[in-house]
Amino acid sequence: MILRAIFTLFITLLLASCSAVNKEEILRAKNANIPLLITKLQTSPPNSAGGIDVMANFVNTSSKAFKYVVLTVLPYNSVGDIAPSEIGNKTSISLKSTGPIASGDNNLGYWKNGWYNYSITCVDLVKISITYMDDTTTTISGSNLKKAFVNGLKSEC
């Protein structure tokens, strides 16, 4: 229990320290019409029940505040197979952050027990859905997802 709390604190501090995005990255995203940059996306080791947590950090690069951001992710095992939860058999989950998240702000999210499966080692981002404070929406998917990661970062799998 204490070890898990220390690990969680360590990951939180690590995510916060890795969230700085330089101006060139923000300009690249704006030029590509990408309203956010993901600076971190990873899973925790399984807890004693096989529960897998997901951690993500992103920066709002748009000129408008976000009301909601939903990251849809799939879990994979170490050989690259989708690894559904052993409880409920679900595969993809939607990780929702609630704003307002102002232009230029970082958002650190931590979602506990997204799945229960000891074999999950990583997640792959499949879609980003954004609702702005004015209730307009946008979705990032397909080949545009690569543009939503800071240079050098990609989905774990």
Side-chain angles (χ1 to χ4, degrees), residues 121-139:
T121 58
C122 63
V123 293
D124 191 30
L125 182 65
V126 294
K127 183 172 72 170
I128 302 168
S129 301
I130 300 168
T131 302
Y132 296 96
M133 293 302 290
D134 64 5
D135 285 326
T136 59
T137 62
T138 191
T139 300

Side-chain angles (χ1 to χ4, degrees), residues 31-71:
N31 288 339
N33 255 353
I34 302 297
L36 67 75
L37 281 175
I38 296 172
T39 60
K40 192 61 86 174
L41 177 63
Q42 65 188 65
T43 58
S44 70
N47 64 25
S48 61
I52 303 293
D53 304 339
V54 181
M55 293 136 298
N57 191 67
F58 62 84
V59 178
N60 178 348
T61 61
S62 77
S63 59
K64 300 191 309 185
F66 298 154
K67 187 176 195 177
Y68 303 111
V69 174
V70 179
L71 308 174

Side-chain angles (χ1 to χ4, degrees), residues 49-151:
I52 303 293
D53 304 339
V54 181
M55 293 136 298
N57 191 67
F58 62 84
V59 178
N60 178 348
T61 61
S62 77
S63 59
K64 300 191 309 185
F66 298 154
K67 187 176 195 177
Y68 303 111
V69 174
V70 179
L71 308 174
T72 303
V73 294
L74 282 171
Y76 287 84
N77 61 24
S78 61
V79 295
D81 297 328
I82 292 178
S85 183
E86 294 170 356
I87 298 174
N89 205 36
K90 66 181 170 182
T91 52
S92 70
I93 60 171
S94 297
L95 311 171
K96 187 175 187 177
S97 290
T98 302
I101 303 164
S103 177
D105 279 0
N106 280 314
N107 186 79
L108 175 63
Y110 187 85
W111 297 269
K112 294 188 70 62
N113 300 320
W115 307 272
Y116 290 89
N117 184 327
Y118 289 98
S119 72
I120 294 172
T121 58
C122 63
V123 293
D124 191 30
L125 182 65
V126 294
K127 183 172 72 170
I128 302 168
S129 301
I130 300 168
T131 302
Y132 296 96
M133 293 302 290
D134 64 5
D135 285 326
T136 59
T137 62
T138 191
T139 300
I140 303 168
S141 60
S143 62
N144 283 328
L145 281 172
K146 287 189 269 186
K147 299 174 189 173
F149 286 93
V150 294
N151 280 334

